[in-house]
C-alpha cells in the first residue's frame, strides 16, 4: 500500500506533507539537515481562495490569523530619505502574512503526533528496488521506504540524487538576495524603507514583534557567482562589494552585516523539472517548480502537499497513478505562480535610473496597482478536489530523532 514515506526537508512543504500523510493513514518520516527547525527568515504570505481553502481544511486559519504580521507596507526613498513611492501592505503581504519561522513551527507541531523527525541528517543515496527505495543517510543507518518525496527547496538534495545535477534544473535569473537581523535604530514604525541605485536595492524594516530589532533586505543584479553556500563570511564580502560606495543608510546596514549571525543569501533562481516524479521518488514545492522570491512558493507548496497526499490516498497508494494525477492537476498552476519570480529582481532593483523612475511612476497609479493585486489573486487560484481524510485531532506519541 506504499504507506511508509520519507520526506526530505522540514521547512514548509515537508511538515505540510507529513500532516496530510498522517491524516490519511500513512507513516511519514522527515529528514532535515539542520539540527532543529530553522529560525529566522522573511515573512511569507497567502492570497486567494485556493490558499485559504487548504489552510482552512488543515484547521490552521485561526492560528495563522493570530500570528499574522498585519502586512508589510514599503516606502521607497531617495538618498536624502525623501519618499518617492509608497506600496500598501497587501501588495507584498497578501491576505495573510506570517513569519516563515512561525509557519514552520506551527506545521511541525501539527504533524508531530504521527511523524518521525530525523534532525541533523541528510540523504546520501537512493536505490530503487522492486518494492521500495533503499535510502542511505549521512548519520543514520540505511532504511527502506515505500516512497521518497523531495520537499527540500530550490537546491533540493533529493532532486540531485534522483533527477541529476542542479545545473540541469535550476536557472539563474540575474539577481542575488540577502536578509539579516540588526538592532532597530529606526524607532517605532511599520513596514520597510527602501533605497535604489541601478541594479541594487537596500531596505530595512522594524521587526513585527520585537521593536528593538529590525531586518535588512538587499537585492543586487549579478551574473552567476561562484561561492560556498555554507560560508557566510564569503557571502558577506560579496554583499559588501556589491553595495560599496552607496549612500543613504547603506554604510550603517553593511556595518551591521559584519556581526550578523543569521545571514540568508541566495541567487534569485527558478527550478524547472521536466517531470516531477521518477519511479518511487517525487518532488514537491520549490524542488519541483519554485522561484526564490516572488513565485508564491509558500502557498504553492501547501497546495501541492494537499493534492499529492490526496491523490496517493485516492489511488490507495498506487504511486504511479497518484504522481501522474498530482502533476497533471498542478503543473500549469504552479508554473503560473512561479512566473512572478522572473520579474522580482527587475522590479525590486531596476537596472537603470530611468527604469527606477518609470517603476515609481507606474506604481503611483492606483488603477495599475489594483490591477496587479487582482492578477496575483487570479494566478494563485486553482480548483481543488475534496479528499476525505481522518479527524484533525488524532493524537499519537510523537517520534523525534536527533
Amino acid at each position: 500500500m506504499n504507506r511508509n514515506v520519507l520526506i526530505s526537508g522540514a521547512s514548509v512543504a515537508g511538515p505540510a506533507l507529513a500532516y496530510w500523510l498522517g491524516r490519511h493513514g500513512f507513516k511519514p518520516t522527515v529528514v532535515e539537515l539542520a539540527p532543529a527547525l530553522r529560525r529566522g527568515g522573511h515573512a511569507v504570505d497567502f492570497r486567494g481562495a485556493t490558499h485559504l481553502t487548504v489552510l482552512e481544511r488543515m484547521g490552521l486559519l485561526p492560528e495563522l490569523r493570530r500570528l499574522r504580521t498585519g502586512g508589510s507596507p514599503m516606502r521607497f526613498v531617495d538618498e536624502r530619505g525623501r519618499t518617492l513611492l509608497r506600496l500598501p501592505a497587501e501588495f507584498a503581504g497578501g491576505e495573510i502574512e506570517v513569519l516563515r519561522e512561525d509557519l514552520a513551527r506551527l506545521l511541525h507541531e501539527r504533524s508531530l503526533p504521527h511523524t518521525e523527525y530525523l534532525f541533523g541528517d541528510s540523504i546520501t543515496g537512493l536505490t530503487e528496488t522492486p518494492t521500495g527505495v533503499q535510502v542511505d543517510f549521512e548519520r543514520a543507518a540505511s532504511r527502506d521506504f515505500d516512497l521518497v518525496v523531495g520537499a527540500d527547496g530550490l537546491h533540493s538534495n533529493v532532486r540531485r540524487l534522483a533527477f541529476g545535477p542542479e545545473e540541469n534544473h535550476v536557472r539563474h535569473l540575474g539577481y542575488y538576495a540577502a536578509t539579516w537581523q540588526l538592532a532597530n535604530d529606526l524607532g517605532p514604525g511599520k513596514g520597510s524603507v527602501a533605497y535604489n541605485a541601478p541594479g541594487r536595492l537596500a531596505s530595512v524594516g522594524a521587526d513585527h514583534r520585537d521593536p528593538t530589532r529590525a531586518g535588512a533586505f538587499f537585492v543586487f543584479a549579478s551574473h552567476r557567482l561562484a561561492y560556498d553556500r555554507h560560508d557566510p563570511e564569503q557571502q558577506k564580502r560579496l554583499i559588501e562589494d556589491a553595495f560599496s560606495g552607496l549612500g543613504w543608510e547603506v554604510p550603517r546596514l553593511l556595518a551591521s552585516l559584519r556581526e550578523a549571525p543569521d545571514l540568508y543569501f541566495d541567487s534569485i533562481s527558478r527550478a524547472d523539472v521536466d517531470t516531477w516524479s521518477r519511479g518511487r521518488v517525487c518532488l514537491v514545492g520549490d524542488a519541483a517548480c519554485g522561484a526564490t522570491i516572488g513565485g508564491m512558493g509558500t502557498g504553492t507548496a501547501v497546495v501541492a502537499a494537499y493534492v499529492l497526499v490526496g491523490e496517493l490516498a485516492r489511488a490507495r497508494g498506487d504511486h504511479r497513478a497518484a504522481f501522474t494525477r498530482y502533476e497533471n492537476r498542478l503543473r500549469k498552476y504552479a508554473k503560473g505562480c512561479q512566473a512572478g519570480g522572473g520579474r522580482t529582481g527587475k522590479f525590486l532593483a531596476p537596472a537603470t535610473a530611468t527604469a527606477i523612475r518609470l517603476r515609481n511612476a507606474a506604481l503611483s497609479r492606483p488603477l495599475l496597482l489594483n490591477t496587479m493585486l487582482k492578477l496575483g489573486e487570479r494566478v494563485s487560484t486553482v480548483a481543488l478536489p475534496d479528499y476525505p481524510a481522518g479527524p484533525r485531532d488524532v493524537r499519537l506519541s510523537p517520534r523525534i530523532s536527533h
Side-chain angles (χ1 to χ4, degrees):
M1 288 291 290
N2 290 334
R3 291 292 177 182
N4 293 310
V5 182
L6 176 66
I7 302 164
S8 176
S11 179
V12 172
L17 273 163
Y19 168 84
W20 283 115
L21 285 166
R23 285 278 302 279
H24 284 278
F26 293 82
K27 295 173 61 179
T29 298
V30 177
V31 60
E32 166 58 48
L33 178 62
L37 288 180
R38 298 178 188 270
R39 304 281 309 268
H42 49 80
V44 297
D45 64 274
F46 298 97
R47 62 185 72 214
T50 300
H51 293 175
L52 299 186
T53 296
V54 173
L55 295 174
E56 192 280 328
R57 291 177 184 176
M58 297 179 81
L60 296 180
L61 270 182
E63 184 71 3
L64 290 176
R65 285 184 170 129
R66 186 184 69 81
L67 293 170
R68 62 184 171 185
T69 65
S72 302
M74 195 172 198
R75 182 166 60 95
F76 289 84
V77 300
D78 64 13
E79 191 167 288
R80 296 171 59 184
R82 296 174 298 191
T83 299
L84 302 173
L85 171 67
R86 294 181 187 271
L87 294 177
E90 60 268 25
F91 185 84
E95 294 171 70
I96 295 180
E97 182 186 82
V98 296
L99 298 179
R100 176 177 287 277
E101 175 182 333
D102 287 339
L103 176 63
R105 174 183 53 79
L106 184 58
L107 289 169
H108 175 252
E109 289 173 354
R110 295 298 178 94
S111 66
L112 261 181
H114 43 247
T115 303
E116 177 185 9
Y117 277 87
L118 304 172
F119 286 105
D121 210 342
S122 179
I123 300 170
T124 59
L126 298 170
T127 304
E128 187 160 340
T129 69
T131 58
V133 183
Q134 179 184 309
V135 180
D136 300 321
F137 296 96
E138 185 175 332
R139 292 177 55 192
S142 298
R143 290 167 60 178
D144 292 329
F145 293 89
D146 296 322
L147 304 172
V148 175
V149 181
D152 42 2
L154 201 68
H155 303 292
S156 171
N157 183 41
V158 167
R159 188 187 61 223
R160 178 181 61 82
L161 291 170
F163 293 75
E166 179 171 309
E167 54 265 30
N168 293 348
H169 306 292
V170 177
R171 179 162 61 92
H172 179 54
L173 298 177
Y175 288 83
Y176 284 82
T179 63
W180 67 92
Q181 295 291 306
L182 65 152
N184 182 14
D185 296 329
L186 301 171
K190 189 175 182 180
S192 61
V193 184
Y195 168 70
N196 277 123
R200 289 168 285 183
L201 168 91
S203 69
V204 61
D207 188 280
H208 293 285
R209 290 179 300 196
D210 183 354
T212 69
R213 305 295 298 167
F217 175 52
F218 278 35
V219 174
F220 64 94
S222 173
H223 57 79
R224 185 187 295 274
L225 299 172
Y227 66 95
D228 184 348
R229 290 184 54 238
H230 303 289
D231 184 351
E233 294 306 314
Q234 183 187 22
Q235 296 164 26
K236 289 176 183 180
R237 290 192 293 272
L238 292 173
I239 298 166
E240 290 173 343
D241 289 345
F243 286 85
S244 175
L246 293 189
W248 186 61
E249 298 287 341
V250 172
R252 179 177 69 85
L253 294 173
L254 289 178
S256 74
L257 170 64
R258 297 180 191 115
E259 304 301 322
D262 58 352
L263 174 67
Y264 165 86
F265 179 77
D266 203 351
S267 64
I268 297 182
S269 300
R270 61 177 285 168
D272 294 290
V273 185
D274 291 340
T275 178
W276 294 353
S277 62
R278 186 162 293 181
R280 291 176 174 268
V281 180
C282 188
L283 302 176
V284 167
D286 284 353
C289 192
T292 311
I293 303 172
M296 301 188 204
T298 302
T300 303
V302 170
V303 172
Y306 170 77
V307 172
L308 174 58
V309 178
E311 292 297 342
L312 280 170
R314 177 176 284 180
R316 297 184 179 275
D318 180 349
H319 64 281
R320 296 178 185 85
F323 289 170
T324 298
R325 288 202 294 259
Y326 152 70
E327 183 169 351
N328 289 344
R329 191 177 293 278
L330 287 187
R331 175 175 277 276
K332 182 178 179 181
Y333 163 75
K335 290 186 75 67
C337 294
Q338 177 197 44
R343 299 185 290 268
T344 300
K346 296 175 183 177
F347 168 78
L348 291 172
T352 65
T354 299
I356 294 170
R357 288 194 298 270
L358 289 174
R359 179 206 61 191
N360 293 349
L363 290 179
S364 296
R365 301 173 182 174
L367 180 60
L368 177 59
L369 195 60
N370 290 334
T371 299
M372 292 178 68
L373 290 171
K374 290 178 180 177
L375 177 61
E377 183 172 336
R378 285 200 301 272
V379 168
S380 65
T381 301
V382 68
L384 287 175
D386 189 1
Y387 303 107
R392 292 193 183 103
D393 58 352
V394 174
R395 291 292 182 267
L396 303 173
S397 297
R399 300 171 291 156
I400 310 176
S401 302
H402 295 275

